Amino acid sequence: MLLMMVYDQDKFRDDVIGQTYIDLEDRWRSRHRATVGLAQEYSRAGYNQWHDVSLPSEILKDLCQQRGIQPPYYYGNVVEVDGLLFGDETTIARGEELHERLSLTVLKNIEKLPSFGYKLVPEHVETRSLYRDDYPNVEQGKLQLWIELFEASTYIPFPVDITPVPPAAYEIRVVVKNLRGIQAGDRNVFGKLMSDLFVTGWCQDIDKRQSTDIHYRSFTGDAAFNWRMIFPMMYSPNEDMMVFRRRGGLFEEVEIKRPPVIYLQIWDRDMIKRNDYLGSLELNLSNMPMPYETQGQCRAYAKQRQRLNLFHRRSIQGWFPVESAKPKSGLPITSTNGKMELEIDVCTSVEASNQPAGHGHDPPMALERPKYIAFHS
């Protein structure tokens, strides 16, 4: 019996979270050949390298001998076993030896043979529940693993390295260009609907949010900023997650993984009262809808709208529909079709170092200020 235990590491005493027992002898003696799972395809090298000591043809020959049937007979592009013919089911590694590909096809379909009638265990990751003796029948979580069994007297292949690929450093540059058709946030002293518009944005930490300058006295719900926000990000392409650390206790840091989402909010600036929330936009950089080329085309996204991964495309510019907030009490609905024009660039740490950019309108790579700058702070 193999005992696997999961602990919570502590400075003074590690605490047991849960454990699971695995019967290795049962796997070794099973007719389903649970020692090393069958891979989906046969490859001599690469990420999907064959990991069993025996080749598919050797495994098939041994199984036929154990069942007392004729060994496999290969001719042309097929193989005959136990009176049945099988063709090659390989879709990726088609450059490998045909005999091995055909043998693996038979092994994956061995339950169809009259002399067998049972399946062989495929290569897979198993999920096991964790339990504790002091809380019987109460699951304490799950452990994902795979187990391979080899005879000590034979050649044992090197273990598969499953060390996670460390996240890479990126710099996300978001230029808030223009707003159109934003819900009015207030009235001026003459009773006319008006907003003093600005945009805030953040990535992994709302406490580190950034803001544009203020477009004062917008009577139409339009605003111009051309303002650059810069967000550093650690992103893991393998997991499609941004990774960051936060303090989890007095002496601890916790690693947190979340989708790479940029949050943008539109506000109406008030000098005396609280600022009024007018709308928002959330963009998952690895799975975002294609922006519209013009503001006239920009409407609420349809389900069939093409999506893109900005970590592959690296740069995008266009109009995005904004989710409008309910108007403040006493104000009419002036717009339900707000939109925001953005330019977003995803830079690696090397690219960001070679071509640095400033925040807002600051150099380097300073952005041109809007033409009606007199209405800005």
Side-chain angles (χ1 to χ4, degrees):
M1 297 297 291
L2 174 64
L3 172 61
M4 302 288 293
M5 304 182 71
V6 178
Y7 285 84
D8 173 29
Q9 187 180 49
D10 206 340
K11 287 188 174 294
F12 303 104
R13 188 185 69 177
D14 297 338
D15 299 319
V16 176
I17 295 175
Q19 61 191 30
T20 181
Y21 289 92
I22 303 172
D23 190 336
L24 298 182
E25 184 181 11
D26 181 64
R27 297 182 181 219
W28 186 265
R29 298 183 182 278
S30 170
R31 67 175 182 174
H32 298 280
R33 202 175 185 278
T35 52
V36 180
L38 288 175
Q40 187 66 22
E41 296 200 3
Y42 172 76
S43 299
R44 287 173 294 178
Y47 71 94
N48 194 36
Q49 182 175 355
W50 184 256
H51 206 60
D52 204 320
V53 174
S54 303
L55 296 174
S57 58
E58 296 172 340
I59 298 173
L60 180 58
K61 183 178 179 181
D62 289 343
L63 289 175
C64 291
Q65 186 176 3
Q66 293 173 16
R67 305 302 291 184
I69 62 176
Q70 292 294 321
Y73 178 65
Y74 303 90
Y75 56 94
N77 294 326
V78 297
V79 58
E80 181 180 354
V81 184
D82 205 12
L84 297 181
L85 294 177
F86 293 88
D88 182 24
E89 294 181 352
T90 305
T91 57
I92 299 176
R94 299 188 63 84
E96 301 292 346
E97 187 178 351
L98 180 59
H99 279 201
E100 303 301 338
R101 288 154 41 197
L102 289 171
S103 299
L104 181 56
T105 298
V106 178
L107 293 174
K108 292 190 299 181
N109 296 277
I110 205 165
E111 75 279 4
K112 299 176 182 179
L113 299 179
S115 300
F116 289 84
Y118 60 86
K119 293 184 177 183
L120 301 182
V121 175
E123 185 179 74
H124 68 289
V125 175
E126 58 184 281
T127 302
R128 302 188 63 87
S129 298
L130 300 172
Y131 296 96
R132 287 173 52 171
D133 294 337
D134 50 349
Y135 293 99
N137 301 322
V138 178
E139 187 180 283
Q140 304 296 323
K142 297 182 184 296
L143 178 65
Q144 289 188 309
L145 52 85
W146 79 82
I147 295 176
E148 295 176 340
L149 302 176
F150 301 96
E151 288 192 31
S153 59
T154 64
Y155 163 76
I156 300 177
F158 290 107
V160 178
D161 185 4
I162 60 170
T163 304
V165 178
Y170 289 88
E171 185 174 276
I172 314 301
R173 300 173 179 177
V174 180
V175 179
V176 182
K177 290 180 168 291
N178 297 289
L179 298 177
R180 293 290 185 272
I182 304 302
Q183 167 67 37
D186 216 335
R187 294 182 186 271
N188 62 11
V189 293
F190 302 105
K192 191 171 183 179
L193 294 171
M194 185 196 73
S195 301
D196 295 328
L197 296 172
F198 70 98
V199 178
T200 63
W202 71 92
C203 181
Q204 60 195 29
D205 190 351
I206 191 173
D207 293 331
K208 296 181 180 179
R209 58 186 176 273
Q210 303 173 36
S211 298
T212 66
D213 55 3
I214 302 171
H215 185 111
Y216 288 104
R217 296 182 292 280
S218 172
F219 296 100
T220 60
D222 299 347
F225 301 102
N226 206 30
W227 185 278
R228 182 187 289 122
M229 300 179 184
I230 298 179
F231 305 103
M233 179 186 292
M234 300 296 293
Y235 175 71
S236 173
N238 287 4
E239 300 177 88
D240 189 20
M241 290 285 176
M242 64 176 176
V243 182
F244 56 98
R245 304 185 72 86
R246 283 185 180 171
R247 186 170 295 280
L250 189 59
F251 303 107
E252 292 181 319
E253 272 194 341
V254 179
E255 184 176 83
I256 300 175
K257 298 180 181 180
R258 291 179 181 168
V261 176
I262 296 293
Y263 301 90
L264 299 168
Q265 292 184 345
I266 305 168
W267 293 82
D268 170 38
R269 175 68 179 272
D270 277 331
M271 297 298 293
I272 301 176
K273 299 176 293 182
R274 288 194 310 172
N275 296 333
D276 299 313
Y277 167 68
L278 302 180
S280 65
L281 176 62
E282 297 182 10
L283 294 175
N284 186 329
L285 300 180
S286 66
N287 184 25
M288 60 184 292
M290 182 75 73
Y292 294 93
E293 294 184 5
T294 66
Q295 59 168 317
Q297 297 172 333
C298 187
R299 295 288 188 274
Y301 281 118
K303 291 183 178 180
Q304 65 271 22
R305 188 69 179 173
Q306 181 183 349
R307 306 190 78 84
L308 59 93
N309 186 336
L310 203 53
F311 290 97
H312 296 161
R313 179 153 177 163
R314 310 302 293 277
S315 182
I316 199 73
Q317 179 176 342
W319 290 87
F320 296 86
V322 170
E323 183 178 345
S324 300
K326 292 182 179 180
K328 190 168 61 174
S329 178
L331 292 180
I333 298 176
T334 60
S335 176
T336 57
N337 189 30
K339 58 200 75 170
M340 183 185 303
E341 185 183 15
L342 300 174
E343 179 181 342
I344 307 176
D345 295 301
V346 174
C347 307
T348 63
S349 57
V350 175
E351 293 169 343
S353 177
N354 292 337
Q355 289 189 315
H359 289 79
H361 299 130
D362 296 338
M365 295 177 63
L367 297 173
E368 183 180 356
R369 293 176 178 268
K371 294 182 179 179
Y372 30 83
I373 191 63
F375 294 96
H376 284 251
S377 63

